[in-house]
Amino acid sequence: PRETLSEAGLTLFGTRGYEGVSVREICDAARMNIAAINYHFGGKEGLYRAVALHIRAQLQDHMSDQMISAMEYLQSENHDPDEAVERLIAIYRGMVRVLVPGSERTARWAKFIVKNQLGEDVPSHELDNLEMIRAVAGLIGIARGRTDDERGNTLIGLTLFGQILVFRINRKSSLRVLDVSEIGPNEVDLIEATVLSNIRAILNAERQSND
């Protein structure tokens, strides 16, 4: 029952946002009694938080190897800039592989995430992966030789992430521009190569500007 309600919540929150969905509509979609959400989640807010937490857990599981590698590097005494770039490349490659392919599951995640980011009145949740953001910012600081510029490093990290997210959020336009009916393995490989090349070029330019 919990999983059925979560799946219904994921779909409806992702298409209509938190405020646009009623408890009754979620229970109808799950074909369950209206009291089920209160019983299993304590209400609509609890269901929303549970869906957000599930998405975060799935993304963390997918990126666990890359994050372990990055954290071990950051906690070590070897802060070679080239090595930091390689740790970043591994993280962003993992992001491409989970977010860009034509998976129905990740498409639903992306819709929920976008609605969550646009929504002004959503319950507090644990969807934002601050640990990953801090790790990326730390790696970028080492790669560009500016560990003192935490805000700048974070902004660069978010910008680099945006070039991946656009292929999920702006899916229809991406398909039309690329003249394909779906983003298949060949397109994923090309997108990955372009994204990683951009990352290397941006960080190299940043490092040179600090020399």
Side-chain angles (χ1 to χ4, degrees):
R2 284 180 62 89
E3 183 176 350
T4 303
L5 284 167
S6 293
E7 288 295 317
L10 174 61
T11 298
L12 290 172
F13 289 140
T15 54
R16 292 159 56 183
Y18 178 76
E19 294 293 344
V21 181
S22 69
V23 169
R24 180 174 295 279
E25 288 171 322
I26 296 170
C27 289
D28 286 347
R31 297 183 179 180
M32 299 185 68
N33 186 281
I34 195 169
I37 286 182
N38 284 333
Y39 178 78
H40 290 287
F41 299 98
K44 188 171 80 166
E45 287 189 14
L47 174 61
Y48 187 90
R49 293 191 185 99
V51 172
L53 188 60
H54 174 72
I55 294 173
R56 174 179 171 170
Q58 293 296 306
L59 292 174
Q60 284 182 323
D61 183 63
H62 179 83
M63 299 294 296
S64 62
D65 290 344
Q66 294 92 331
M67 282 301 299
I68 290 172
S69 176
M71 295 307 295
E72 288 178 347
Y73 170 78
L74 288 169
Q75 292 167 8
S76 73
E77 296 180 358
N78 173 30
H79 284 175
D80 176 70
D82 292 330
E83 190 67 24
V85 171
E86 294 310 310
R87 294 293 193 276
L88 276 168
I89 290 296
I91 290 174
Y92 283 105
R93 179 182 285 114
M95 290 181 182
V96 170
R97 291 293 163 175
V98 72
L99 291 176
V100 174
S103 163
E104 176 61 27
R105 169 65 58 176
T106 52
R108 294 171 70 202
W109 291 352
K111 288 179 180 178
F112 181 93
I113 292 169
V114 170
K115 283 292 184 182
N116 165 70
Q117 294 296 326
L118 294 176
E120 296 181 0
D121 298 309
V122 297
S124 59
H125 55 80
E126 298 183 18
L127 183 58
D128 295 331
N129 192 335
L130 297 180
E131 181 184 37
M132 180 177 291
I133 293 172
R134 293 190 184 104
V136 165
L139 292 170
I140 289 173
I142 295 169
R144 63 191 287 248
R146 286 296 307 276
T147 56
D148 60 322
D149 185 16
E150 183 177 350
R151 181 180 175 85
N153 296 330
T154 301
L155 286 171
I156 292 173
L158 292 173
T159 301
L160 295 177
F161 177 59
Q163 66 177 330
I164 300 171
L165 200 57
V166 67
F167 290 101
R168 175 53 67 187
I169 295 175
N170 204 25
R171 195 73 168 189
K172 291 184 178 180
S173 295
S174 297
L175 293 175
R176 286 197 295 270
V177 170
L178 294 173
D179 194 24
V180 294
S181 59
E182 65 177 3
I183 295 181
N186 291 336
E187 287 74 31
V188 173
D189 287 344
L190 288 171
I191 290 169
E192 178 186 293
T194 302
V195 166
L196 301 187
S197 177
N198 289 344
I199 291 172
R200 293 185 189 278
I202 290 170
L203 294 178
N204 183 56
E206 284 285 327
R207 191 187 309 177
Q208 290 180 354
S209 70
N210 290 321
D211 290 342

